[in-house]
Amino acid sequence: MIDKSRNAELGSLPWDAAIAKAAIEEIAADALAHFDPKRFWPSHPLEDDVEDGNSNVYFGAAGTIWTLDYLRREKAVNFAYDFAPVLPRLLDATRAEMAKLGAYGELGSLLFGDMGTALIAMRLAPSVDMASLVYRRAEANMQLPVRELMWGMPGSMLACLFMHEMTGEPRWRVLFEEQAVRLLEDLRETEQGPLWTQDLYGDHCKWLGPVHGYAGNMIPLLRGWAWLTEAQRSRVCDAATRTLVANACRSDAGATWKAIAADSREPYLCQHCHGAPGMVTVFADAPFTSPALEELLIEGGRFTWAAGPLAKGSNLCHGTGGNGYAFLKLYRRTKDHLWLERARAFAMTAIAQCREARGELGRGRYSLWTGDPGFAVYLRDCLTATPRFPTADVV
């Protein structure tokens, strides 16, 4: 179940905090050096069909700006650049990009739409207008069929959680609770356990992972646990364990999960967006336990370690850094230092990958989810041993 062509060799360098700190500073300095207030950042050759100056949270300027500001707030880097004057242009650019996407331009998208960009703006320069925009977009998702985090209602539920943290306004909890009811009503019993069917890109599939599928829909329910009713908590607890067990693909290496439930055509991917790493990263935060759940989390971690670093580079979505979050989350859950050691071993390998790629092109890859800035957040979390996956755990 492990396709070694997708993986890279684990490096031999031992963990070195000084090297990790230097790598964070290099990534931030390179990003600032290539930033243009009007055109934002150049795209990367590995980003298919992404033009220079892309603005969204996923692989555009909004995500990169948030990352640099977050690293500054967390005192992982030290610079004085003020991104606030750029925010109106950033929001206009995101709207223009969404307008090209037909019906998807109306979605309250956390990672691609102006809801996500406005959420980032609220961190840097909070205003009543930005808060109102986030609310309008999030509220509109009550009427939409997309049931996944990147485009749909689970993303707007996360936006409600983040906005409540920032503003304390009760309207965010009210909207979250309404959407939790709708989301759980759409959870259906299947032969593979309770699952959602995603209505995405013209297809109807039962995706499992944390970006488009089941695990991603669970993220706001787990993070918003205090806002769920007892009946909802019971439903989530039962569904989480049964679905993970029903869809687990076990081997001597551990356990992993396909991208789509019961789809024999799908390859066994082992990256954050599809496969064991993302499933472990999400459900290691579950505020409940059972012997079956704990066993699967450990087996998913073993599988991720057996597969090794990813050949696609250091990024979060489908790179070595994203896979390493599974180890950081397991360390926090189990207190077993082995998982922190493995997270840091992946970090050292990914630092080499990041530096090599930057050396080949002469500059970095400026993206939160698929590039160097997101990896810098992972390095920060390896230093502090306090995992907070961007846009899922923290904005």
Side-chain angles (χ1 to χ4, degrees), residues 118 121-122 125-136 163 167 169 171-172:
M122 281 294 296
S127 71
V128 172
D129 288 345
M130 285 299 102
S132 296
L133 173 56
V134 176
Y135 188 84
R136 289 197 306 273
M163 288 297 296
T167 70
E169 295 175 341
R171 60 173 172 166
W172 302 107

Side-chain angles (χ1 to χ4, degrees), residues 10-11 13 15 305 309 340-350 378:
L10 185 69
L13 282 178
W15 168 250
W305 178 254
L340 180 58
E341 293 173 357
R342 289 180 170 180
R344 289 172 168 174
F346 267 36
M348 296 303 292
T349 299
Y378 173 68

Side-chain angles (χ1 to χ4, degrees), residues 35 60 123 136 147 163 181 211 223-224 266 291 302 309 316 326:
F35 176 67
R123 279 295 186 200
R136 289 197 306 273
R147 305 173 189 90
M163 288 297 296
V181 170
V211 179
R223 287 204 71 249
E266 287 292 316
R302 288 201 303 111
L316 298 184

Side-chain angles (χ1 to χ4, degrees), residues 209-210 215 271-283 304 322-323 326:
Q271 53 200 47
H272 178 77
C273 52
H274 301 298
M279 303 300 275
V280 172
T281 296
V282 170
F283 288 102
T304 303
N323 282 22

Side-chain angles (χ1 to χ4, degrees), residues 12-14 30 60 76 80 111 163 170 200 206 220 225 227 259 296 313 330 332 381 391:
S12 59
L13 282 178
D30 175 64
L111 299 183
M163 288 297 296
L200 192 64
K206 295 178 176 65
W225 193 253
W227 290 355
L296 276 177
L330 282 173
R332 183 164 65 185
D381 289 357
T391 64

Side-chain angles (χ1 to χ4, degrees), residues 23-335:
I24 294 172
E25 292 169 356
E26 289 169 12
I27 290 168
D30 175 64
L32 287 169
H34 288 87
F35 176 67
D36 185 293
K38 294 182 178 179
R39 296 190 296 271
F40 309 132
W41 279 277
S43 65
H44 193 275
L46 293 178
E47 305 285 10
D48 295 336
D49 302 321
V50 177
E51 298 178 352
D52 289 350
N54 187 279
S55 68
N56 63 48
V57 173
Y58 182 76
F59 45 38
T64 301
I65 287 172
W66 173 83
T67 305
L68 291 172
D69 184 71
Y70 175 70
L71 292 171
R72 180 191 59 77
R73 283 188 279 125
E74 293 297 312
K75 297 181 171 54
V77 295
N78 182 25
F79 64 85
Y81 197 96
D82 181 11
F83 288 104
V86 178
L87 296 177
R89 183 177 293 106
L90 184 68
L91 191 62
D92 288 344
T94 306
R95 287 170 172 161
E97 290 165 11
M98 288 294 285
K100 301 175 183 177
L101 299 177
Y104 280 80
E106 300 302 316
L107 300 179
S109 172
L110 176 67
L111 299 183
F112 278 91
D114 58 0
M115 182 180 75
T117 301
L119 186 62
I120 300 304
M122 281 294 296
R123 279 295 186 200
L124 277 72
S127 71
V128 172
D129 288 345
M130 285 299 102
S132 296
L133 173 56
V134 176
Y135 188 84
R136 289 197 306 273
R137 287 300 201 186
E139 186 180 39
N141 275 358
M142 285 293 293
Q143 310 302 322
L144 299 169
V146 177
R147 305 173 189 90
E148 57 90 69
L149 183 142
M150 179 178 279
W151 291 101
M153 192 164 62
S156 65
M157 292 170 68
L158 277 177
C160 288
L161 288 165
F162 292 131
M163 288 297 296
H164 187 268
E165 291 171 4
M166 284 188 266
T167 70
E169 295 175 341
R171 60 173 172 166
W172 302 107
R173 177 169 182 169
V174 172
L175 181 56
F176 176 95
E177 290 175 345
E178 292 173 354
Q179 295 192 342
V181 170
R182 164 77 185 277
L183 188 63
L184 286 170
E185 284 177 347
D186 288 344
L187 184 61
R188 300 281 189 264
E189 290 292 333
T190 74
E191 293 181 358
Q192 295 79 41
L195 286 168
W196 286 278
T197 298
Q198 279 71 40
D199 180 356
L200 192 64
Y201 310 142
D203 294 326
H204 294 79
C205 297
K206 295 178 176 65
W207 293 90
L208 290 172
V211 179
H212 292 308
Y214 178 82
N217 289 8
M218 282 290 184
I219 291 173
L221 296 171
L222 299 178
R223 287 204 71 249
W225 193 253
W227 290 355
L228 301 183
T229 66
E230 287 301 320
Q232 289 172 330
R233 291 179 184 180
S234 178
R235 175 66 165 146
V236 171
C237 180
D238 170 70
T241 302
R242 284 202 290 127
T243 300
L244 286 175
V245 170
N247 292 278
C249 304
R250 288 183 163 98
S251 69
D252 291 342
T256 191
W257 289 262
K258 292 257 184 150
I260 300 173
D263 192 335
S264 60
R265 300 167 298 171
E266 287 292 316
Y268 290 95
L269 299 176
C270 185
Q271 53 200 47
H272 178 77
C273 52
H274 301 298
M279 303 300 275
V280 172
T281 296
V282 170
F283 288 102
D285 283 341
F288 49 82
T289 186
S290 71
L293 175 61
E294 301 306 325
E295 180 182 5
L296 276 177
L297 291 174
I298 296 300
E299 287 190 25
R302 288 201 303 111
F303 189 92
T304 303
W305 178 254
L310 284 170
K312 286 187 175 181
S314 61
N315 70 82
L316 298 184
C317 190
H318 37 259
T320 304
N323 282 22
Y325 264 107
F327 305 141
L328 285 177
K329 293 292 184 86
L330 282 173
Y331 170 67
R332 183 164 65 185
R333 190 172 185 92
T334 67
K335 304 300 187 288

